[in-house]
Amino acid sequence: MTSTDEQEAIIDGNDPVSKAKRKRAEMEQMKERFAKLLLGEDMSGGGKGVSSALALSNAITNLAASAFGEQHKLAPMAEDRKKRWRREVGWLLSVTDYIVEFVPSQQTSKDGANMEVMMTKQRGDLRMNIPALKKLDAMLIGCLDNFRNQNQFWYVSKDADESEKGVQRMDKWWLPTVKVPPEGLSEESRKWMQYQKDCVNQVLKASMAINAEILAEMEIPENYIDTLPKNGRESLGDAIYKNITVEFFDPGQFLSTMDLSSELNVLDLKNKIEASIVIWKRKMHQKDSKSSWSTSISLEKRELFEERAETILLLLKQRFPGLPQSSLEISKIEYNKDVGHAILESYSRVLESLASAVMNRIEDVLYADNVAQDPSLKASRGPSNESNGQTLGQNQGQPPSESPTSMTLSDFMGWSVEQEGSTTNSNATPKSDDTETEKYQSKSAKILARTKNSYMEKLEAYKLRSPTTRH
């Protein structure tokens, strides 16, 4: 079989021979990709491979890593890599065309009688989210294409002489430095860069919303539940448990007593909180299923503690939106059997990661522009978050002076309480003759509003139902 590198090297000509070679190469690539999926990545054929869901998730993740790589510069994707990404991600997404559900449909018989029959239709979550993710994908690649002919900033290798190097926003020594004209960007270029940043931010918010929704929909695997301790106190530790179960609880005060100085500490706290929430929810469900002699006080207290833990978890996500995946999230992805969920989660995750990287590169240029106008900013740089491994969905390493992009979780996800009613109403009946931009904005607003509502509904439902039986 021709190797992938050899297949990619075939000349993209227009003559019949070149077209035939290209088609054969693409066919061989497709055979190879789907053979790996059918084998569950076990090329020995011994049946020891992973599930179809995890194989597809890994395939999309690996394809994105090879197609996009590390986004070190603001520049268009190479045409061959762009074509490869669109072609191969299309192959992987084509699986969703055959994930269907039965829906009732009215049909008229030959004698004019109406009857209801069941017909197949693409599953609802895929029908809603796959087109939205494809649109976000196109927007993100289009944003990179916009930097093709820009000449207001340029990059200097990290190995260049110190006198030739530009500005680096944080201690990201592995990235090329950014240089702008001595007087900074022109006013027009500055506004254009801010517009590009706003566009990427919309992609980032929408992909984060979809990813968070899919993860919330995934079932909690028994393997994760089996690793949990018997009670919340054991999961949290005595000190954290006492702080959560006090009579008068202040979540802000609670977090101020925690050591959140490093990413590992924050992630450890998040893992403990998530584990305690799962434990308390399961115990509440078991309590409900017992006879009526069970006291209501114990149930009410456990419900109160679970609510407090949920509040802490939301505050952690608000303060640290770029945290790596928790043990619960990793476990959900690893043991998930739903192919549709696996595709949606991995596709939204890689778009979220790329959007975050592009956002950081734009902020690098804007920072270099700020330093050109005010050199004193160069000495007031804060600690870098990007170098600590934060890669998904964040505004990393932003200095204190660049506060406009700092926002709460509600703002970041578009969850404005005051605008909830108007958002829902304004997007209830989108017009079919809108422009492409208006269509996307309407769909994006729907996704964000739907994510907020469904998430809040889950918080209410979980108080009475076991996480393992909500599906």
Side-chain angles (χ1 to χ4, degrees):
M1 180 184 294
T2 309
S3 67
T4 301
D5 292 338
E6 292 173 343
Q7 293 162 0
E8 291 292 339
I10 293 178
I11 300 174
D12 188 15
N14 293 321
D15 60 282
V17 176
S18 297
K19 285 184 178 180
K21 288 182 178 179
R22 188 168 64 253
K23 288 293 183 182
R24 284 197 299 270
E26 291 176 2
M27 183 64 70
E28 291 300 321
Q29 283 182 315
M30 187 168 64
K31 289 179 181 178
E32 180 183 352
R33 297 291 183 272
F34 281 96
K36 288 181 179 179
L37 294 178
L38 290 171
L39 292 170
E41 300 177 355
D42 176 19
M43 305 310 289
S44 69
K48 300 178 181 179
V50 299
S51 66
S52 299
L54 184 56
L56 272 165
S57 177
N58 291 341
I60 293 175
T61 303
N62 294 335
L63 174 60
S66 61
F68 297 119
E70 297 183 47
Q71 200 66 35
H72 288 174
K73 299 179 180 180
L74 291 173
M77 288 180 65
E79 285 300 319
D80 58 335
R81 288 193 293 121
K82 187 189 302 184
K83 288 180 180 179
R84 181 191 172 202
W85 165 254
R86 288 174 174 168
R87 181 176 65 248
E88 296 191 25
V89 80
W91 294 343
L92 298 174
L93 294 180
S94 67
V95 176
T96 61
D97 295 335
Y98 303 94
I99 300 177
V100 298
E101 59 188 355
F102 283 102
V103 295
S105 175
Q106 294 289 334
Q107 285 190 1
T108 304
S109 61
K110 293 180 179 180
D111 59 1
N114 290 328
M115 55 183 177
E116 186 177 88
V117 297
M118 301 299 291
M119 60 177 296
T120 59
K121 192 175 185 180
Q122 188 181 32
R123 207 170 73 185
D125 57 341
L126 300 172
R127 195 166 61 250
M128 171 66 73
N129 290 317
I130 290 295
L133 288 171
K134 286 181 177 179
K135 184 66 176 179
L136 297 175
D137 187 347
M139 288 180 64
L140 202 50
I141 293 178
C143 178
L144 289 174
D145 288 340
N146 291 337
F147 291 96
R148 185 179 306 277
N149 297 318
Q150 72 78 29
N151 55 9
Q152 284 288 303
F153 64 90
W154 59 97
Y155 293 93
V156 178
S157 172
K158 60 184 177 63
D159 300 322
D161 295 336
E162 288 296 327
S163 59
E164 299 177 359
K165 283 186 177 180
V167 176
Q168 188 55 270
R169 185 164 56 99
M170 287 297 166
D171 298 327
K172 295 174 285 191
W173 52 267
W174 63 93
L175 295 176
T177 57
V178 182
K179 294 202 74 172
V180 297
E183 67 278 4
L185 300 175
S186 65
E187 187 63 27
E188 182 180 357
S189 294
R190 193 174 295 116
K191 290 180 179 179
W192 184 80
M193 287 294 296
Q194 187 61 47
Y195 173 75
Q196 298 302 318
K197 180 180 176 181
D198 292 341
C199 291
V200 175
N201 192 37
Q202 290 300 314
V203 176
L204 181 58
K205 288 194 294 184
S207 57
M208 283 184 69
I210 294 174
N211 188 263
E213 182 184 21
I214 298 305
L215 282 172
E217 288 289 338
M218 287 183 178
E219 292 189 14
I220 300 176
E222 290 295 333
N223 302 67
Y224 175 82
I225 295 173
D226 291 341
T227 63
L228 297 177
K230 298 298 182 182
N231 53 62
R233 179 192 289 269
E234 189 177 345
S235 171
L236 295 170
D238 289 338
I240 298 177
Y241 181 81
K242 288 178 181 179
N243 287 337
I244 289 181
T245 57
V246 293
E247 184 177 358
F248 301 102
F249 175 72
D250 181 353
Q253 178 65 27
F254 170 84
L255 288 180
S256 68
T257 63
M258 297 291 103
D259 178 13
L260 305 178
S261 58
S262 71
E263 182 184 277
L264 288 177
N265 291 346
V266 179
L267 187 59
D268 181 60
L269 178 60
K270 182 181 177 182
N271 284 329
K272 291 178 179 179
I273 295 293
E274 285 185 337
S276 66
I277 290 172
V278 173
I279 293 170
W280 284 329
K281 285 175 181 175
R282 288 177 60 80
K283 288 198 171 186
M284 283 190 290
H285 173 73
Q286 293 169 1
K287 196 81 171 180
D288 284 342
S289 64
K290 290 183 179 179
S291 60
S292 58
W293 56 260
S294 300
T295 61
S296 60
I297 298 176
S298 176
L299 175 61
E300 290 174 354
K301 282 187 175 181
R302 188 171 286 125
E303 192 171 346
L304 176 63
F305 300 157
E306 188 268 333
E307 288 176 353
R308 291 175 175 180
E310 288 278 11
T311 303
I312 295 170
L313 190 59
L314 288 175
L315 286 177
L316 285 176
K317 291 178 179 179
Q318 172 183 339
R319 293 192 185 184
F320 307 95
L323 275 178
Q325 290 170 326
S326 64
S327 299
L328 176 58
E329 292 167 342
I330 293 173
S331 182
K332 282 184 174 183
I333 294 172
E334 182 179 357
Y335 293 101
N336 167 56
K337 302 299 183 183
D338 190 305
V339 174
H341 283 166
I343 293 176
L344 290 175
E345 190 284 325
S346 56
Y347 193 20
S348 60
R349 172 163 40 84
V350 298
L351 292 180
E352 181 184 330
S353 180
L354 178 61
S356 176
V358 174
M359 177 78 77
N360 277 293
R361 301 295 77 80
I362 293 176
E363 288 176 350
D364 288 343
V365 176
L366 293 175
Y367 175 71
D369 177 50
N370 289 338
V371 170
Q373 298 175 72
D374 184 3
S376 64
L377 292 175
K378 192 173 183 179
S380 62
R381 296 181 296 180
S384 172
N385 288 330
E386 189 173 7
S387 60
N388 292 334
Q390 298 184 3
T391 57
L392 293 181
Q394 60 191 319
N395 295 332
Q396 302 158 329
Q398 181 170 320
S401 60
E402 294 182 82
S403 58
T405 56
S406 61
M407 56 186 73
T408 65
L409 180 65
S410 298
D411 294 334
F412 194 76
M413 301 297 284
W415 293 355
S416 172
V417 177
E418 293 80 0
Q419 297 175 353
E420 179 179 353
S422 61
T423 300
T424 304
N425 294 334
S426 64
N427 292 293
T429 55
K431 296 181 180 180
S432 60
D433 57 348
D434 288 340
T435 63
E436 280 298 306
T437 302
E438 289 171 338
K439 285 181 181 178
Y440 166 70
Q441 290 173 343
S442 175
K443 182 174 287 185
S444 178
K446 279 184 178 180
I447 293 168
L448 295 174
R450 176 167 51 82
T451 302
K452 173 187 180 292
N453 294 333
S454 62
Y455 183 69
M456 293 306 177
E457 288 168 1
K458 287 184 181 63
L459 292 185
E460 294 298 325
Y462 286 172
K463 297 173 187 175
L464 300 176
R465 289 190 293 171
S466 166
T468 58
T469 60
R470 69 178 184 270
H471 298 287

Short mmCIF file of all heavy atoms in Angstrom, two decimals, residues 235-283:
data_model
loop_
_atom_site.label_atom_id
_atom_site.label_comp_id
_atom_site.label_asym_id
_atom_site.label_seq_id
_atom_site.Cartn_x
_atom_site.Cartn_y
_atom_site.Cartn_z
N SER A 235 -13.72 11.55 50.16
CA SER A 235 -13.27 12.09 48.87
C SER A 235 -12.65 13.47 49.03
O SER A 235 -11.60 13.76 48.44
CB SER A 235 -14.47 12.17 47.91
OG SER A 235 -14.13 12.89 46.74
N LEU A 236 -13.27 14.32 49.83
CA LEU A 236 -12.82 15.70 49.97
C LEU A 236 -11.68 15.86 50.97
O LEU A 236 -10.86 16.78 50.84
CB LEU A 236 -13.99 16.59 50.40
CG LEU A 236 -15.15 16.72 49.40
CD1 LEU A 236 -16.34 17.41 50.07
CD2 LEU A 236 -14.70 17.50 48.18
N GLY A 237 -11.63 15.00 51.96
CA GLY A 237 -10.70 15.21 53.07
C GLY A 237 -11.42 15.98 54.18
O GLY A 237 -12.36 16.75 53.93
N ASP A 238 -10.97 15.81 55.40
CA ASP A 238 -11.66 16.40 56.55
C ASP A 238 -11.74 17.91 56.47
O ASP A 238 -12.79 18.51 56.74
CB ASP A 238 -10.97 15.99 57.86
CG ASP A 238 -11.20 14.51 58.18
OD1 ASP A 238 -12.19 13.95 57.66
OD2 ASP A 238 -10.39 13.93 58.91
N ALA A 239 -10.63 18.57 56.09
CA ALA A 239 -10.60 20.03 56.09
C ALA A 239 -11.59 20.61 55.08
O ALA A 239 -12.39 21.50 55.42
CB ALA A 239 -9.18 20.52 55.78
N ILE A 240 -11.57 20.11 53.83
CA ILE A 240 -12.48 20.63 52.81
C ILE A 240 -13.92 20.27 53.15
O ILE A 240 -14.83 21.09 52.99
CB ILE A 240 -12.10 20.07 51.42
CG1 ILE A 240 -10.69 20.52 51.02
CG2 ILE A 240 -13.10 20.51 50.36
CD1 ILE A 240 -10.21 19.96 49.70
N TYR A 241 -14.13 19.08 53.67
CA TYR A 241 -15.49 18.66 54.02
C TYR A 241 -16.09 19.56 55.09
O TYR A 241 -17.26 19.97 55.00
CB TYR A 241 -15.47 17.20 54.50
CG TYR A 241 -16.83 16.66 54.85
CD1 TYR A 241 -17.69 16.20 53.87
CD2 TYR A 241 -17.26 16.61 56.19
CE1 TYR A 241 -18.95 15.70 54.18
CE2 TYR A 241 -18.51 16.12 56.51
CZ TYR A 241 -19.35 15.66 55.51
OH TYR A 241 -20.59 15.18 55.83
N LYS A 242 -15.30 19.89 56.11
CA LYS A 242 -15.80 20.77 57.17
C LYS A 242 -16.14 22.15 56.63
O LYS A 242 -17.12 22.77 57.04
CB LYS A 242 -14.76 20.86 58.29
CG LYS A 242 -14.63 19.59 59.11
CD LYS A 242 -13.54 19.73 60.17
CE LYS A 242 -13.40 18.43 60.97
NZ LYS A 242 -12.32 18.52 61.99
N ASN A 243 -15.31 22.65 55.70
CA ASN A 243 -15.57 23.98 55.15
C ASN A 243 -16.83 24.01 54.29
O ASN A 243 -17.49 25.04 54.20
CB ASN A 243 -14.37 24.43 54.30
CG ASN A 243 -13.17 24.81 55.14
OD1 ASN A 243 -13.31 25.15 56.32
ND2 ASN A 243 -11.99 24.75 54.55
N ILE A 244 -17.15 22.89 53.65
CA ILE A 244 -18.36 22.84 52.82
C ILE A 244 -19.61 22.63 53.66
O ILE A 244 -20.69 23.14 53.33
CB ILE A 244 -18.23 21.72 51.76
CG1 ILE A 244 -17.20 22.12 50.70
CG2 ILE A 244 -19.57 21.44 51.07
CD1 ILE A 244 -17.00 21.10 49.60
N THR A 245 -19.49 21.92 54.77
CA THR A 245 -20.66 21.55 55.57
C THR A 245 -20.92 22.47 56.74
O THR A 245 -21.73 22.14 57.61
CB THR A 245 -20.51 20.11 56.07
OG1 THR A 245 -19.29 20.00 56.85
CG2 THR A 245 -20.45 19.13 54.92
N VAL A 246 -20.24 23.62 56.80
CA VAL A 246 -20.51 24.58 57.88
C VAL A 246 -21.92 25.14 57.72
O VAL A 246 -22.53 25.06 56.64
CB VAL A 246 -19.48 25.74 57.86
CG1 VAL A 246 -18.10 25.23 58.21
CG2 VAL A 246 -19.49 26.43 56.51
N GLU A 247 -22.44 25.73 58.80
CA GLU A 247 -23.81 26.23 58.77
C GLU A 247 -23.96 27.40 57.79
O GLU A 247 -24.92 27.45 57.01
CB GLU A 247 -24.25 26.66 60.17
CG GLU A 247 -25.70 27.11 60.22
CD GLU A 247 -26.13 27.45 61.65
OE1 GLU A 247 -25.30 27.29 62.57
OE2 GLU A 247 -27.28 27.87 61.82
N PHE A 248 -23.02 28.34 57.86
CA PHE A 248 -23.05 29.49 56.96
C PHE A 248 -21.91 29.37 55.96
O PHE A 248 -20.75 29.49 56.34
CB PHE A 248 -22.94 30.79 57.76
CG PHE A 248 -24.02 30.97 58.78
CD1 PHE A 248 -23.78 30.74 60.12
CD2 PHE A 248 -25.30 31.34 58.38
CE1 PHE A 248 -24.80 30.89 61.06
CE2 PHE A 248 -26.32 31.49 59.30
CZ PHE A 248 -26.07 31.26 60.65
N PHE A 249 -22.28 29.09 54.71
CA PHE A 249 -21.28 28.78 53.68
C PHE A 249 -21.14 29.94 52.70
O PHE A 249 -22.14 30.46 52.19
CB PHE A 249 -21.69 27.51 52.93
CG PHE A 249 -20.80 27.15 51.78
CD1 PHE A 249 -19.52 26.67 51.99
CD2 PHE A 249 -21.25 27.31 50.48
CE1 PHE A 249 -18.70 26.34 50.92
CE2 PHE A 249 -20.44 26.98 49.41
CZ PHE A 249 -19.16 26.50 49.63
N ASP A 250 -19.89 30.34 52.44
CA ASP A 250 -19.59 31.37 51.45
C ASP A 250 -18.60 30.77 50.46
O ASP A 250 -17.44 30.52 50.82
CB ASP A 250 -18.99 32.61 52.13
CG ASP A 250 -18.67 33.71 51.12
OD1 ASP A 250 -18.79 33.48 49.91
OD2 ASP A 250 -18.31 34.83 51.57
N PRO A 251 -19.03 30.48 49.20
CA PRO A 251 -18.12 29.83 48.25
C PRO A 251 -16.87 30.65 47.95
O PRO A 251 -15.79 30.09 47.77
CB PRO A 251 -18.98 29.65 46.99
CG PRO A 251 -20.10 30.62 47.14
CD PRO A 251 -20.35 30.75 48.60
N GLY A 252 -17.00 31.99 47.89
CA GLY A 252 -15.82 32.82 47.65
C GLY A 252 -14.82 32.70 48.79
O GLY A 252 -13.61 32.61 48.56
N GLN A 253 -15.34 32.71 50.02
CA GLN A 253 -14.47 32.55 51.18
C GLN A 253 -13.83 31.17 51.18
O GLN A 253 -12.65 31.02 51.54
CB GLN A 253 -15.28 32.77 52.46
CG GLN A 253 -14.50 32.58 53.75
CD GLN A 253 -13.39 33.61 53.92
OE1 GLN A 253 -13.50 34.71 53.39
NE2 GLN A 253 -12.35 33.25 54.65
N PHE A 254 -14.60 30.17 50.77
CA PHE A 254 -14.05 28.81 50.71
C PHE A 254 -12.85 28.75 49.77
O PHE A 254 -11.80 28.21 50.13
CB PHE A 254 -15.14 27.84 50.25
CG PHE A 254 -14.63 26.46 49.92
CD1 PHE A 254 -14.45 25.52 50.90
CD2 PHE A 254 -14.32 26.11 48.61
CE1 PHE A 254 -13.97 24.25 50.60
CE2 PHE A 254 -13.84 24.86 48.29
CZ PHE A 254 -13.67 23.92 49.30
N LEU A 255 -13.00 29.30 48.57
CA LEU A 255 -11.90 29.25 47.60
C LEU A 255 -10.70 30.06 48.06
O LEU A 255 -9.56 29.73 47.73
CB LEU A 255 -12.38 29.76 46.23
CG LEU A 255 -13.33 28.83 45.46
CD1 LEU A 255 -13.73 29.46 44.14
CD2 LEU A 255 -12.69 27.48 45.22
N SER A 256 -10.94 31.12 48.83
CA SER A 256 -9.82 31.93 49.32
C SER A 256 -8.96 31.17 50.32
O SER A 256 -7.79 31.52 50.54
CB SER A 256 -10.33 33.22 49.96
OG SER A 256 -11.04 32.94 51.16
N THR A 257 -9.52 30.12 50.94
CA THR A 257 -8.75 29.32 51.89
C THR A 257 -8.02 28.16 51.22
O THR A 257 -7.23 27.48 51.87
CB THR A 257 -9.68 28.75 52.97
OG1 THR A 257 -10.63 27.87 52.36
CG2 THR A 257 -10.42 29.87 53.70
N MET A 258 -8.31 27.93 49.92
CA MET A 258 -7.68 26.82 49.20
C MET A 258 -6.38 27.29 48.54
O MET A 258 -6.23 28.45 48.17
CB MET A 258 -8.61 26.27 48.13
CG MET A 258 -9.91 25.66 48.64
SD MET A 258 -9.65 24.11 49.55
CE MET A 258 -9.85 24.69 51.25
N ASP A 259 -5.45 26.36 48.41
CA ASP A 259 -4.19 26.65 47.71
C ASP A 259 -4.41 26.45 46.22
O ASP A 259 -4.41 25.32 45.72
CB ASP A 259 -3.08 25.72 48.22
CG ASP A 259 -1.75 25.95 47.49
OD1 ASP A 259 -1.64 26.98 46.78
OD2 ASP A 259 -0.84 25.11 47.64
N LEU A 260 -4.62 27.54 45.49
CA LEU A 260 -4.86 27.49 44.05
C LEU A 260 -3.70 28.10 43.29
O LEU A 260 -3.87 28.67 42.21
CB LEU A 260 -6.17 28.24 43.71
CG LEU A 260 -7.42 27.77 44.46
CD1 LEU A 260 -8.62 28.61 44.06
CD2 LEU A 260 -7.69 26.30 44.22
N SER A 261 -2.51 27.97 43.84
CA SER A 261 -1.34 28.63 43.26
C SER A 261 -0.82 27.92 42.02
O SER A 261 -0.06 28.51 41.24
CB SER A 261 -0.21 28.72 44.30
OG SER A 261 0.12 27.41 44.78
N SER A 262 -1.19 26.67 41.82
CA SER A 262 -0.71 25.94 40.65
C SER A 262 -1.85 25.21 39.99
O SER A 262 -2.91 24.95 40.59
CB SER A 262 0.38 24.92 41.05
OG SER A 262 -0.19 23.84 41.77
N GLU A 263 -1.65 24.88 38.71
CA GLU A 263 -2.66 24.17 37.94
C GLU A 263 -2.97 22.81 38.54
O GLU A 263 -4.12 22.37 38.57
CB GLU A 263 -2.19 24.02 36.50
CG GLU A 263 -3.17 23.35 35.58
CD GLU A 263 -2.60 23.16 34.19
OE1 GLU A 263 -2.65 24.11 33.39
OE2 GLU A 263 -2.08 22.07 33.91
N LEU A 264 -1.95 22.13 39.06
CA LEU A 264 -2.15 20.81 39.64
C LEU A 264 -3.05 20.88 40.87
O LEU A 264 -3.90 20.00 41.08
CB LEU A 264 -0.80 20.19 40.01
CG LEU A 264 0.08 19.73 38.85
CD1 LEU A 264 1.42 19.21 39.36
CD2 LEU A 264 -0.62 18.65 38.04
N ASN A 265 -2.87 21.92 41.69
CA ASN A 265 -3.71 22.07 42.88
C ASN A 265 -5.16 22.33 42.50
O ASN A 265 -6.08 21.78 43.11
CB ASN A 265 -3.19 23.23 43.75
CG ASN A 265 -1.86 22.91 44.39
OD1 ASN A 265 -1.43 21.76 44.43
ND2 ASN A 265 -1.18 23.92 44.90
N VAL A 266 -5.37 23.17 41.50
CA VAL A 266 -6.74 23.47 41.05
C VAL A 266 -7.39 22.22 40.48
O VAL A 266 -8.56 21.91 40.77
CB VAL A 266 -6.73 24.61 40.01
CG1 VAL A 266 -8.15 24.89 39.53
CG2 VAL A 266 -6.12 25.88 40.59
N LEU A 267 -6.65 21.49 39.65
CA LEU A 267 -7.19 20.27 39.05
C LEU A 267 -7.49 19.22 40.12
O LEU A 267 -8.50 18.51 40.03
CB LEU A 267 -6.19 19.71 38.02
CG LEU A 267 -6.68 18.54 37.18
CD1 LEU A 267 -7.92 18.91 36.38
CD2 LEU A 267 -5.57 18.08 36.23
N ASP A 268 -6.64 19.13 41.14
CA ASP A 268 -6.87 18.19 42.22
C ASP A 268 -8.16 18.53 42.98
O ASP A 268 -8.96 17.64 43.30
CB ASP A 268 -5.68 18.19 43.18
CG ASP A 268 -5.85 17.20 44.32
OD1 ASP A 268 -5.99 16.00 44.04
OD2 ASP A 268 -5.85 17.64 45.49
N LEU A 269 -8.37 19.83 43.25
CA LEU A 269 -9.60 20.25 43.91
C LEU A 269 -10.82 19.96 43.04
O LEU A 269 -11.85 19.49 43.53
CB LEU A 269 -9.52 21.74 44.25
CG LEU A 269 -10.76 22.35 44.91
CD1 LEU A 269 -11.06 21.66 46.24
CD2 LEU A 269 -10.57 23.85 45.12
N LYS A 270 -10.70 20.22 41.75
CA LYS A 270 -11.81 19.95 40.84
C LYS A 270 -12.15 18.46 40.83
O LYS A 270 -13.33 18.08 40.85
CB LYS A 270 -11.44 20.40 39.42
CG LYS A 270 -12.55 20.20 38.39
CD LYS A 270 -12.11 20.65 37.00
CE LYS A 270 -13.19 20.37 35.96
NZ LYS A 270 -12.78 20.75 34.60
N ASN A 271 -11.13 17.60 40.81
CA ASN A 271 -11.38 16.15 40.83
C ASN A 271 -12.10 15.74 42.11
O ASN A 271 -13.02 14.91 42.09
CB ASN A 271 -10.05 15.40 40.71
CG ASN A 271 -9.50 15.41 39.29
OD1 ASN A 271 -10.25 15.44 38.32
ND2 ASN A 271 -8.19 15.37 39.16
N LYS A 272 -11.68 16.31 43.24
CA LYS A 272 -12.32 15.96 44.52
C LYS A 272 -13.77 16.42 44.57
O LYS A 272 -14.65 15.70 45.03
CB LYS A 272 -11.53 16.59 45.68
CG LYS A 272 -10.15 15.98 45.91
CD LYS A 272 -9.43 16.69 47.04
CE LYS A 272 -8.06 16.05 47.30
NZ LYS A 272 -7.32 16.75 48.38
N ILE A 273 -14.00 17.65 44.09
CA ILE A 273 -15.36 18.19 44.10
C ILE A 273 -16.28 17.37 43.20
O ILE A 273 -17.40 17.01 43.58
CB ILE A 273 -15.36 19.67 43.66
CG1 ILE A 273 -14.60 20.53 44.67
CG2 ILE A 273 -16.78 20.17 43.47
CD1 ILE A 273 -15.26 20.64 46.02
N GLU A 274 -15.81 17.05 41.99
CA GLU A 274 -16.62 16.25 41.07
C GLU A 274 -16.92 14.87 41.65
O GLU A 274 -18.05 14.37 41.53
CB GLU A 274 -15.92 16.11 39.72
CG GLU A 274 -15.96 17.36 38.87
CD GLU A 274 -15.37 17.17 37.49
OE1 GLU A 274 -14.55 16.25 37.32
OE2 GLU A 274 -15.73 17.94 36.58
N ALA A 275 -15.92 14.26 42.29
CA ALA A 275 -16.14 12.94 42.89
C ALA A 275 -17.18 13.01 44.00
O ALA A 275 -18.07 12.15 44.10
CB ALA A 275 -14.82 12.40 43.42
N SER A 276 -17.11 14.06 44.84
CA SER A 276 -18.07 14.18 45.94
C SER A 276 -19.48 14.42 45.41
O SER A 276 -20.46 13.91 45.97
CB SER A 276 -17.66 15.32 46.87
OG SER A 276 -17.74 16.57 46.22
N ILE A 277 -19.60 15.19 44.32
CA ILE A 277 -20.92 15.44 43.72
C ILE A 277 -21.54 14.12 43.24
O ILE A 277 -22.72 13.86 43.47
CB ILE A 277 -20.80 16.44 42.57
CG1 ILE A 277 -20.47 17.84 43.11
CG2 ILE A 277 -22.09 16.49 41.76
CD1 ILE A 277 -20.15 18.85 42.02
N VAL A 278 -20.74 13.31 42.55
CA VAL A 278 -21.24 12.02 42.07
C VAL A 278 -21.68 11.14 43.25
O VAL A 278 -22.74 10.51 43.21
CB VAL A 278 -20.17 11.31 41.23
CG1 VAL A 278 -20.62 9.90 40.86
CG2 VAL A 278 -19.87 12.10 39.96
N ILE A 279 -20.88 11.13 44.31
CA ILE A 279 -21.21 10.31 45.49
C ILE A 279 -22.53 10.76 46.10
O ILE A 279 -23.42 9.94 46.39
CB ILE A 279 -20.07 10.38 46.52
CG1 ILE A 279 -18.80 9.71 45.97
CG2 ILE A 279 -20.49 9.72 47.83
CD1 ILE A 279 -17.57 9.94 46.82
N TRP A 280 -22.68 12.06 46.32
CA TRP A 280 -23.88 12.58 46.96
C TRP A 280 -25.12 12.38 46.10
O TRP A 280 -26.20 12.08 46.60
CB TRP A 280 -23.69 14.06 47.31
CG TRP A 280 -22.83 14.28 48.51
CD1 TRP A 280 -22.71 13.45 49.59
CD2 TRP A 280 -21.94 15.36 48.75
NE1 TRP A 280 -21.80 13.96 50.49
CE2 TRP A 280 -21.31 15.14 50.01
CE3 TRP A 280 -21.60 16.52 48.05
CZ2 TRP A 280 -20.39 16.02 50.56
CZ3 TRP A 280 -20.68 17.39 48.60
CH2 TRP A 280 -20.08 17.15 49.84
N LYS A 281 -25.00 12.55 44.79
CA LYS A 281 -26.14 12.34 43.91
C LYS A 281 -26.59 10.88 43.95
O LYS A 281 -27.79 10.59 43.99
CB LYS A 281 -25.76 12.73 42.48
CG LYS A 281 -25.69 14.23 42.23
CD LYS A 281 -25.21 14.50 40.82
CE LYS A 281 -25.10 16.00 40.56
NZ LYS A 281 -24.51 16.29 39.23
N ARG A 282 -25.65 9.98 43.92
CA ARG A 282 -25.99 8.56 43.96
C ARG A 282 -26.64 8.20 45.29
O ARG A 282 -27.61 7.42 45.33
CB ARG A 282 -24.74 7.71 43.73
CG ARG A 282 -24.25 7.74 42.29
CD ARG A 282 -22.98 6.94 42.13
NE ARG A 282 -23.16 5.54 42.49
CZ ARG A 282 -23.70 4.62 41.72
NH1 ARG A 282 -24.14 4.94 40.52
NH2 ARG A 282 -23.82 3.37 42.12
N LYS A 283 -26.15 8.76 46.38
CA LYS A 283 -26.73 8.45 47.69
C LYS A 283 -28.13 9.02 47.81
O LYS A 283 -29.01 8.42 48.43
CB LYS A 283 -25.83 8.98 48.80
CG LYS A 283 -24.54 8.17 48.97
CD LYS A 283 -23.90 8.41 50.31
CE LYS A 283 -22.75 7.44 50.54
NZ LYS A 283 -22.18 7.56 51.91
#
